[in-house]
Amino acid sequence: MTVTKFAGAALSTAALCVLTALPAVAQPISGLSTPSTAAGERASGLDLPGDLLEPDTGVRPTGAPTTSPAPTIPAPTTSAPATSTSAAEEQDAPGEGEIEARYSALPREVKNALGNPLGDEEVESEELRWREYEHARFYWTPDTGVHIVFGGILDRFVARGGHDVLGVPTTDEEVDRSGARYTEFVSLDGAKTESAIYFTAGTGAHLLRGPILEKWAELGAGEVLGYPITDTTSTPDELGAYNHFSRPGGASIYLTRDNETHVVQGAIRDKWAESGWEAGPLGYPTTDELTAADGRGRYARFDGDGKFGAGIAWSPETGAHSVRGAIGDRYVEFGGPNGLLGYPTTDELSAPDGRGRYGHFTGTGGASIYWSPSTGAVEIYGGIRARWAQLGWERSYLGYPVRGEHDVPLGRSTEFELGFIDWHRDTGEFFDFPK
């Protein structure tokens, strides 16, 4: 299930203050080419002859981009060191002429695709110059040199605040192993937040930023989670941020209020969405999706209501169900899906008497955890649970369990509010009796 929410919200300052480094994911190309265009969106490449492109080797070098056709721009030179104030004033200003030199060195076909300049070069400071063309922007800083943003990626860059918010490009548009187009950026503030805008024909152009970008790249980028279908967006409580991705079955990365990033996907993500995402009773994720000890099931933990944690567990037989509150804590004490109680077969439910809560599980012979304000959360399972069910569960004369199954001289026993159920080891029989 693909879910997109809050796509127009602004990313919170708190969610973006962490500086991250983007791992390499692709090989730069020497020209600028065009993928097929998503419906209603400008293509992110330029339609150029194939002989202007170099093949993608799948290995991207680290360090400063080496993408051709960007020429090596010589630094301004003077015939002799400045010897007076008037001589120094005649030297070129920082970056002067470098954008024009880059543009002039491009092949004619590329120039035609980028179009003519729309105005003079904008000099915002000694650290930033840029110039608008019909279909592109050129940016220069002393740290990045000259890079070009164009097409659908330029549209998204401008929509998200341009260089005032995202900073300047540190690459030209490049292509990854799956054919997606992207440009990387770094903010101009002290945080130096890194971001990238990715474009595919199926998803359009969307922004990945900061820790979410780093997490996505660490996990294998588009080859694992697919490509972003939202921009990096702040959560409604402004304590976190998220991106949704195109992986079949749905996937998201959340930056939590604790500045951690976690992946939620598939049926577990669907269950979490059903509960209200991070605004619901399960809260923010505190783990990625984990594999259960049996190798068949999956589970993820959440921070719950701040007092009690929460979780969602999934297996092929049971589907995905949530546990939370005191019942969730008791479930974790028993090992969660790896323990005696097994996988949940229900979410937490209200008991028919209106006084308590419960959840059922797959554990030995069937298992449950029941909670009431006076008894707390207590587990019950196996034959004793079956006998209690025959009597009418919590509406029987025994009431709610107050102490889980434990050893007694004759076998095993569970204590209830108003009585007991015992199992006798010698005979295998069960006996219930009042206090």
Side-chain angles (χ1 to χ4, degrees):
M1 179 183 72
T2 297
V3 180
T4 302
K5 65 186 185 100
F6 315 126
L11 183 61
S12 68
T13 301
L16 295 179
C17 65
V18 180
L19 173 64
T20 61
L22 175 66
V25 295
Q27 161 74 23
I29 61 171
S30 64
L32 307 171
S33 66
T34 306
S36 57
T37 305
E41 180 161 5
R42 184 163 68 179
S44 188
L46 298 174
D47 189 10
L48 301 177
D51 58 3
L52 295 178
L53 305 179
E54 294 176 353
D56 180 9
T57 66
V59 178
R60 180 176 164 193
T62 57
T66 58
T67 305
S68 178
T72 301
I73 306 298
T77 60
T78 57
S79 58
T83 58
S84 68
T85 301
S86 60
E89 289 173 350
E90 294 176 359
Q91 296 182 36
D92 289 341
E96 185 172 342
E98 295 203 23
I99 289 176
E100 179 59 34
R102 175 77 196 273
Y103 180 74
S104 297
L106 293 172
R108 172 53 55 189
E109 295 89 342
V110 177
K111 289 180 183 177
N112 290 341
L114 298 179
N116 296 314
L118 296 180
D120 295 335
E121 182 174 296
E122 300 286 341
V123 182
E124 301 212 0
S125 70
E126 291 189 350
E127 305 295 319
L128 175 61
R129 290 171 174 262
W130 61 282
R131 193 174 192 184
E132 193 91 43
Y133 291 77
E134 290 177 283
H135 307 295
R137 282 189 187 181
F138 283 54
Y139 279 90
W140 171 90
T141 75
D143 294 331
T144 62
V146 179
H147 290 294
I148 308 166
V149 190
F150 57 90
I153 289 178
L154 174 60
D155 291 344
R156 180 58 59 180
F157 173 69
V158 172
R160 300 306 298 179
H163 58 266
D164 291 331
V165 175
L166 301 184
V168 295
T170 59
T171 68
D172 293 331
E173 187 170 293
E174 300 181 0
V175 63
D176 70 8
R177 283 186 285 265
S178 299
R181 314 289 305 189
Y182 68 95
T183 300
E184 297 171 6
F185 303 86
V186 64
S187 66
L188 297 173
D189 56 17
K192 298 294 184 184
T193 303
E194 296 191 2
S195 58
I197 295 176
Y198 274 77
F199 174 94
T200 74
T203 62
H206 291 289
L207 170 69
L208 289 166
R209 198 166 192 208
I212 291 178
L213 170 61
E214 182 179 19
K215 180 77 169 183
W216 180 72
E218 286 175 352
L219 293 173
E223 294 178 358
V224 175
L225 295 182
Y227 290 93
I229 58 174
T230 66
D231 294 339
T232 300
T233 306
S234 62
T235 53
D237 62 10
E238 298 187 349
L239 297 177
Y242 68 91
N243 273 91
H244 297 323
F245 297 89
S246 63
R247 176 176 175 166
S252 302
I253 297 177
Y254 269 71
L255 175 64
T256 73
R257 49 190 158 207
D258 295 323
N259 267 332
E260 298 178 350
T261 49
H262 295 295
V263 178
V264 191
Q265 56 190 315
I268 289 177
R269 177 179 178 269
D270 289 347
K271 175 59 69 172
W272 185 45
E274 179 185 306
S275 76
W277 303 95
E278 75 288 340
L282 302 182
Y284 283 89
T286 60
T287 68
D288 292 352
E289 188 173 291
L290 304 171
T291 302
D294 63 9
R296 302 180 70 248
R298 309 282 287 175
Y299 65 98
R301 294 174 181 161
F302 298 81
D303 62 11
D305 60 8
K307 180 180 179 182
F308 294 104
I312 298 173
W314 170 91
S315 75
E317 295 78 20
T318 62
H321 295 286
S322 63
V323 291
R324 58 188 175 89
I327 289 175
D329 273 10
R330 191 65 173 168
Y331 179 57
V332 170
E333 287 176 16
F334 270 76
N338 301 324
L340 177 68
L341 302 180
Y343 293 94
T345 60
T346 68
D347 297 339
E348 183 177 303
L349 301 171
S350 295
D353 68 357
R355 184 162 70 99
R357 309 278 293 175
Y358 71 93
H360 292 325
F361 302 86
T362 60
T364 307
S368 301
I369 298 176
Y370 271 75
W371 172 91
S372 77
S374 58
T375 63
V378 181
E379 72 286 351
I380 182 169
Y381 50 85
I384 290 178
R385 174 181 179 270
R387 181 60 171 263
W388 186 50
Q390 289 175 353
L391 295 171
W393 302 97
E394 77 285 350
R395 289 178 292 178
S396 70
Y397 80 91
L398 296 174
Y400 284 83
V402 298
R403 184 184 180 191
E405 189 173 306
H406 56 280
D407 286 327
V408 294
L410 292 177
R412 302 279 287 172
S413 179
T414 294
E415 181 181 357
F416 296 83
E417 290 175 295
L418 301 173
F420 301 86
I421 297 177
D422 286 357
W423 170 73
H424 289 186
R425 184 177 295 107
D426 292 342
T427 64
E429 294 181 291
F430 295 90
F431 298 90
D432 59 272
F433 51 96
K435 289 182 175 177

